[in-house]
Amino acid sequence: MATKHEQILQHILSLEIGHKISVRQIAKTMNVSEGTAYRAIKEAENQGIVSTIERVGTIRIERKKKENFERLTFAEVIKIVDGQVLGGRKGLHKTLNKFVIGAMQLDAMMRYTEAGSLLIVGNRVKAHELALIEGAAVLITGGFDTNDDIKQLADEKQLPVMSTSYDTFTVAAMINRAIYDQLIKKEIVFIGDIYTPYDESLYLYTKDKLERWYELNERFSHTRYPVVDAKERVAGIITSKDMIGKDRNTPIERIMTKNPITAQEKTSLASVAHMMVWEGIELVPVVDPSNRLKGVVSRQDVLKALQQIQRQPQIGETIDDIVARNLLPAEEEQTAFHAYVTPQMTNQLGTLSNGVFTALMTEASSRVLRHYKKGDLVVENLTVYFLKPVQIDSKLVIKPKILEAGRIYAKVDIQVFNDKKMVGKGLLMAQLIDR
């Protein structure tokens, strides 16, 4: 039997794209309290099936596929430019393929304006009309309004006509920035992208006897299984260690490890990798918000995904990507690295940012350990001394030296030079993830 929360989510999913919902309306339709309705709507927003837009309301939108992340919906554009909807509200869920800046003659502008695009233009009413006829949405800059017949046409075509107080150049820059940020988000791997789903997972029930573990072990050679109750909620986890010296007729719930560490689909791969290294665990159950089992993720799944990420070409660059790209092996020493201080790596004073300095040290240490140990590191502690400021366009030499490196633990001393003068040093302690 589905919970009220799940029933509300199913109801929201059944609504047509573009439908407007409210807490009061959902509470009345589903016969639940407004608090329950509010929590379910917030969860729907987290899942990307509704979007709340200022001065418009909460709209049922199409859930975006991960590979389509660089496309923005018109609802998201409204948020980005802090705008308002003048007409065509039912089209807010649609995505834009490209945007066109209307700073040219009408006929030239229309050559570039096609269905699914967004025309960014000032108070040129004829341009608004032609764009809608072509199947494009319109964003009017400078805070201008448009004619009532244009708003009516927008409603008929279900294409948004929006207005923002920003100028055309600022709006274009804001949308570009949002698309770039989406590209970075696109590269982040979540557990939902890699886990083994419920129908392919192996698990035990709390009422099962230990004999069932032996049956599964014989058939599939696995030694770790999540344990669920009668409602499929994760109650524990059982491993070969738990059963040493136990009778085969012992109920699973008496010997399992209770309240195991779990993850949700939206948990990032990095945090689960960190958790597995820290806690020394091999298998994490994946659950929904009601703690029901949705699948499992193993240490092998996590390591495989981490290795694939390292081979991916980055599209939207984070600071760490910039650091990694600028860190090059030094020809004169096998375990030394060069890095040039680019404008993106500096603070407002034009000197190397402390955060980037730390990232350079960590990346250099990681590469040296990978070279010797064939493993990746999870930083436990990093003590840094910033001895001298490093200005823009400087060439740094970074020299990590491994002091200790066991099977799961490493200690690295790092020295950083600029023009043969030491500008910083650090001591890094880390745990290693073996491949």
Side-chain angles (χ1 to χ4, degrees):
M1 179 71 183
T3 63
K4 281 182 179 177
H5 186 86
E6 288 163 339
Q7 286 172 5
I8 298 166
L9 285 174
Q10 287 303 318
H11 170 69
I12 293 171
L13 277 166
S14 71
L15 299 172
E16 64 177 65
I17 305 297
H19 188 92
K20 192 173 169 183
I21 63 170
S22 71
V23 171
R24 191 169 294 171
Q25 171 208 329
I26 291 288
K28 193 176 172 185
T29 307
M30 301 301 293
N31 196 22
V32 295
S33 71
E34 290 194 359
T36 304
Y38 175 78
R39 283 191 294 276
I41 289 171
K42 278 292 153 201
E43 173 61 23
E45 196 160 7
N46 292 338
Q47 290 184 18
I49 58 177
V50 301
S51 179
T52 303
I53 306 148
E54 209 176 326
R55 295 190 288 273
V56 174
T58 304
I59 306 285
R60 169 81 171 92
I61 61 165
E62 198 168 2
R63 197 198 304 247
K64 278 185 294 188
K65 294 183 176 67
K66 196 167 178 74
E67 65 273 12
N68 196 29
F69 228 152
E70 64 271 32
R71 289 192 183 180
L72 297 171
T73 63
F74 295 121
E76 287 166 317
V77 171
I78 278 281
K79 280 185 181 175
I80 293 160
V81 301
D82 192 24
Q84 56 182 334
V85 184
L86 304 177
R89 187 162 276 136
K90 285 189 176 174
L92 284 169
H93 65 277
K94 295 177 181 174
T95 56
L96 67 148
N97 302 323
K98 66 172 188 176
F99 62 87
V100 179
I101 295 173
M104 52 190 104
Q105 294 294 326
L106 269 180
D107 57 344
M109 197 192 304
M110 286 308 119
R111 281 206 298 274
Y112 296 98
T113 308
E114 57 191 50
S117 58
L118 173 69
L119 177 68
I120 302 171
V121 69
N123 58 337
R124 298 170 68 183
V125 177
K126 191 65 185 166
H128 306 165
E129 184 187 356
L130 290 172
L132 290 169
I133 291 166
E134 288 294 328
V138 178
L139 177 59
I140 305 166
T141 57
F144 292 108
D145 201 345
T146 189
N147 296 351
D148 287 342
D149 52 349
I150 298 292
K151 294 175 189 176
Q152 197 179 332
L153 181 61
D155 288 337
E156 285 168 20
K157 295 261 186 187
Q158 294 192 359
L159 286 166
V161 170
M162 304 164 281
S163 175
T164 175
S165 54
Y166 294 110
D167 64 276
T168 305
F169 177 80
T170 306
V171 165
M174 289 162 101
I175 295 174
N176 253 336
R177 177 74 245 178
I179 290 171
Y180 191 78
D181 286 347
Q182 295 280 39
L183 288 169
I184 291 174
K185 281 187 198 170
K186 178 182 156 187
E187 300 303 319
I188 297 170
V189 177
F190 294 102
I191 288 307
D193 301 319
I194 65 159
Y195 77 110
T196 304
Y198 177 81
D199 52 3
E200 294 172 33
S201 301
L202 301 168
Y203 53 92
L204 295 161
Y205 286 96
T206 47
K207 300 296 178 196
D208 283 342
K209 299 282 192 283
L210 194 47
E211 182 64 45
R212 177 73 180 138
W213 182 92
Y214 284 101
E215 285 172 23
L216 288 177
N217 178 248
E218 208 169 289
R219 280 173 61 198
F220 302 102
S221 306
H222 292 202
T223 58
R224 299 172 179 81
Y225 303 98
V227 183
V228 299
D229 62 16
K231 290 185 175 176
E232 312 280 318
R233 289 180 303 219
V234 173
I237 199 154
I238 186 160
T239 71
S240 50
K241 283 184 198 165
D242 300 319
M243 44 210 313
I244 298 166
K246 305 287 190 306
D247 186 85
R248 289 194 179 205
N249 285 320
T250 311
I252 292 285
E253 63 186 334
R254 280 178 49 192
I255 56 171
M256 69 185 184
T257 303
K258 292 180 181 171
N259 303 319
I261 289 170
T262 58
Q264 293 199 0
E265 286 181 283
K266 281 290 180 189
T267 307
S268 74
L269 173 69
S271 63
V272 171
H274 195 273
M275 198 158 55
M276 283 180 152
V277 170
W278 236 240
E279 306 293 337
I281 49 182
E282 299 287 331
L283 186 84
V284 174
V286 180
V287 297
D288 69 8
S290 309
N291 206 39
R292 282 207 179 114
L293 184 68
K294 292 205 75 175
V296 294
V297 65
S298 70
R299 197 183 180 99
Q300 284 77 13
D301 295 332
V302 167
L303 290 176
K304 198 164 136 192
L306 284 170
Q307 286 164 16
Q308 281 175 347
I309 289 169
Q310 283 166 6
R311 291 195 287 269
Q312 290 296 318
Q314 292 296 317
I315 307 170
E317 284 190 314
T318 62
I319 294 293
D320 280 5
D321 297 327
I322 293 165
V323 166
R325 196 187 67 221
N326 280 316
L327 198 65
L328 303 168
E331 289 172 14
E332 60 274 15
E333 279 183 70
Q334 198 179 9
T335 57
F337 300 90
H338 287 161
Y340 287 95
V341 181
T342 65
Q344 290 149 305
M345 294 160 74
T346 60
N347 57 25
Q348 71 273 26
L349 303 171
T351 59
L352 182 64
S353 141
N354 290 353
V356 175
F357 204 125
T358 308
L360 283 164
M361 288 183 165
T362 308
E363 178 66 21
S365 304
S366 184
R367 289 194 195 177
V368 165
L369 281 165
R370 231 178 279 154
H371 179 72
Y372 285 113
K373 295 287 299 174
K374 303 283 188 286
D376 286 316
L377 63 80
V378 175
V379 176
E380 188 177 294
N381 195 343
L382 176 58
T383 307
V384 181
Y385 297 93
F386 303 105
L387 304 178
K388 286 184 179 157
V390 180
Q391 68 179 40
I392 199 165
D393 292 335
S394 298
K395 180 185 175 183
L396 298 177
V397 178
I398 302 160
K399 296 183 179 180
K401 181 183 172 190
I402 298 174
L403 302 177
E404 290 174 38
R407 192 173 65 82
I408 57 166
Y409 198 74
K411 190 188 280 187
V412 186
D413 177 75
I414 312 129
Q415 296 183 333
V416 185
F417 298 89
N418 178 25
D419 283 340
K420 298 186 179 172
K421 290 177 190 162
M422 192 184 289
V423 291
K425 60 186 296 182
L427 182 66
L428 179 142
M429 286 179 267
Q431 290 215 32
L432 296 170
I433 310 175
D434 284 328
R435 287 195 182 160

